[in-house]
Amino acid sequence: MKRTRTLAFSNLAGAILFLCLGIWAFVQTLGFAQVKGTYVQPALFPQIMIAGLVIFSAALLVQSIVKLKTMGESDPLAAPAATLNFLKDKGVLYALVVILLCVLFVALFKPLGYVICSAAVSFVIMVMIGKRNWVQMALVSVLVPLLMWFVFYKVLTVNIPMGPLKVLAELVDKI
């Protein structure tokens, strides 16, 4: 058994990758602007999510190192790792599409705003996972981002870009 071709080694590589990503992302949040007059700063929620990513990545790292040292031939993590060939594995293709969606989300976040970007991404992901109730998909992909925006905007006083829907924030301010 070649340990570098096992699921345990794949877990180790993923743990290192996500640990590095989490550390990089945390450093990026340190440069977020401080908003005067708000209790919750813009960096707080990303930092909470990043902390979770780093904690779970560190746990996976430790688990993978221990497993690589102690696993036997019959261990489930000693099985060969799956291929990353998107032509052979539809799941890999979907993962690449989700990565592309995340890149587009970041690129279009300011011009289109949170609600439009989130609605588009969630709708595409629902199509990819096989949902076919179009009315439900449309309602969920629009109403969930709207509700989340409302909670951030009104309850937590975090101003999230709205793009062309900025008029919605003005209407909510009148309430």
Side-chain angles (χ1 to χ4, degrees):
M1 158 183 62
K2 192 169 183 177
R3 292 188 186 274
T4 57
R5 296 190 185 266
T6 62
L7 290 173
F9 187 79
S10 294
N11 285 349
L12 177 70
I16 292 169
L17 175 73
F18 286 113
L19 201 54
C20 292
L21 178 69
I23 291 168
W24 172 81
F26 184 79
V27 169
Q28 295 300 308
T29 63
L30 297 176
F32 284 13
Q34 297 289 317
V35 179
K36 293 180 182 176
T38 60
Y39 180 72
V40 178
Q41 293 298 317
L44 179 65
F45 295 107
Q47 286 173 345
I48 290 170
M49 293 177 62
I50 291 165
L53 175 68
V54 168
I55 289 167
F56 286 112
S57 296
L60 183 60
L61 179 69
V62 170
Q63 179 188 30
S64 300
I65 291 170
V66 169
K67 187 55 83 170
L68 281 168
K69 291 182 186 245
T70 62
M71 75 179 169
E73 293 285 334
S74 62
D75 196 304
L77 291 178
T83 179
L84 289 179
N85 184 342
F86 64 87
L87 296 174
K88 292 181 181 178
D89 187 352
K90 205 175 194 181
V92 174
L93 176 63
Y94 286 167
L96 293 173
V97 169
V98 169
I99 290 170
L100 176 65
L101 287 173
C102 290
V103 169
L104 289 172
F105 183 92
V106 170
L108 299 173
F109 187 72
K110 280 194 178 181
L112 293 181
Y114 170 76
V115 174
I116 293 174
C117 287
S118 297
V121 168
S122 62
F123 189 84
V124 170
I125 289 174
M126 283 189 270
V127 169
M128 286 187 342
I129 64 173
K131 297 288 183 192
R132 293 297 179 258
N133 183 338
W134 300 103
V135 172
Q136 181 185 28
M137 290 166 53
L139 287 173
V140 168
S141 64
V142 171
L143 294 179
V144 169
L146 273 173
L147 179 65
M148 289 176 62
W149 168 79
F150 183 79
V151 168
F152 274 90
Y153 187 70
K154 275 308 223 191
V155 178
L156 302 172
T157 65
V158 175
N159 196 3
I160 298 175
M162 288 295 285
L165 298 179
K166 189 171 184 145
V167 71
L168 186 63
E170 295 164 3
L171 288 173
V172 169
D173 285 338
K174 292 178 182 177
I175 296 175

